Amino acid sequence: VSGRIINTEKLKWDLGVNIAAYRNKITKISGDRMLSTYAGANILTQVGLPVGMFYGYKTNGVYKSNAEAATAGVSVQNAQGDLIAQQGGDVRFVDVNNDHVINSSDMQVIGNPNPDYTGGISTQLTYKRVSLDALFTFSKGNDIYNYTRRQLESESGFYNQSAAVLNRWRGDGQVTEIPRASYGDPSGNSSFSDRWIEDGSYIRLRSVSVSYDIPFKYKFIKYIKVYATGSNLLTFTKYLGYDPEFAVNENVLLQGIDTTLEPQFRTVQLGLRIGI
């Protein structure tokens, strides 16, 4: 939808808005269900669901003490099949089947990379010889797997970590969303879970341009215009990574996975345009 909001001899304002949405659903595959893995993420393909769903554990905070963990009586099953009793500072995973064991049976859909809708807003404002053009783009409702943050907050190895782990659990009674540091991660605190799934919604100032037509007349020159153009100058988002707008590649199963991808860069261009 677009139109001219103001139309006078000196001032003109055009405004356009577009919104797009798509919906998809798996209708048939061999076996009705398939799990793929990429960068530590589980991607679920299942009949009746949209494509590319994130599949892992849901969490409910961190046990604030050893006593609280002991009362819950929940253990995590490691890759060797051993049961590791959870302690204070461990992530409180949701025990879906209430068997007091956290394993693959407790995995569920934890995110959807498909947006609810996307769109853009374009505007052009002209006053006498000055023009302002701007384009905003946006996305709403898509989830992102922040692989980078998972590496920087896993607290399981000797690699540098982000400043967020300064708020990690350190003793009984501490209330925090960051689990304890534990070399090798025996309790699976850094497992693929909704800890690493973030809201990828954003609104971005895609481009903006300001121009001025210089009042200049000469028989060989029709016009002179000076302008300034910027791209990707502002992005408003809750996503903690570099850039909420990206794709690992064109594979439909790998959407919404941020493996430390390079952000789109900002550019500013100044120019002079002469028409002859």
Side-chain angles (χ1 to χ4, degrees), residues 27-189:
T27 58
K28 185 178 180 180
I29 59 172
S30 177
D32 292 336
R33 177 175 174 164
M34 178 178 71
L35 269 181
S36 308
T37 59
Y38 186 84
N42 302 313
I43 299 99
L44 177 65
T45 304
Q46 180 173 313
V47 171
L49 294 179
V51 70
M53 304 293 279
F54 296 128
Y55 189 73
Y57 298 107
K58 285 192 175 181
T59 62
N60 185 25
V62 169
Y63 289 108
K64 63 178 181 289
S65 66
N66 289 327
E68 183 184 45
T71 300
V74 175
S75 298
V76 172
Q77 189 173 43
N78 63 20
Q80 291 73 39
D82 300 324
L83 297 182
I84 309 298
Q86 291 195 291
Q87 309 174 33
D90 284 336
V91 172
R92 185 188 292 110
F93 294 107
V94 174
D95 184 11
V96 175
N97 56 11
N98 292 315
D99 64 353
H100 296 280
V101 175
I102 302 300
N103 54 25
S104 59
S105 299
D106 300 298
M107 291 184 178
Q108 54 187 305
V109 173
I110 58 175
N112 183 354
N114 301 287
D116 296 333
Y117 55 85
T118 61
I121 302 172
S122 60
T123 184
Q124 182 182 57
L125 186 65
T126 302
Y127 179 71
K128 295 182 179 180
R129 294 180 175 273
V130 179
S131 293
L132 171 67
D133 294 86
L135 173 64
F136 293 86
T137 57
F138 58 85
S139 178
K140 178 70 172 68
N142 55 299
D143 292 319
I144 294 176
Y145 164 41
N146 194 336
Y147 166 86
T148 305
R149 189 166 65 83
R150 184 179 180 184
Q151 305 310 305
L152 295 177
E153 295 181 20
S154 66
E155 304 175 281
S156 61
F158 47 82
Y159 299 110
N160 285 338
Q161 301 286 274
S162 74
V165 304
L166 294 174
N167 193 38
R168 68 187 182 276
W169 187 91
R170 303 184 189 209
D172 277 2
Q174 183 179 356
V175 179
T176 177
E177 295 297 315
I178 307 295
R180 64 190 176 96
S182 179
Y183 187 79
D185 194 21
S187 297
N189 291 323

Side-chain angles (χ1 to χ4, degrees), residues 21-25 115-117:
Y22 70 86
R23 299 292 181 264
N24 69 81
K25 182 171 67 175
D116 296 333
Y117 55 85

Side-chain angles (χ1 to χ4, degrees), residues 207-218:
S207 63
V208 61
S209 178
V210 179
S211 62
Y212 176 68
D213 289 319
I214 298 176
F216 182 86
K217 290 184 179 181
Y218 191 76

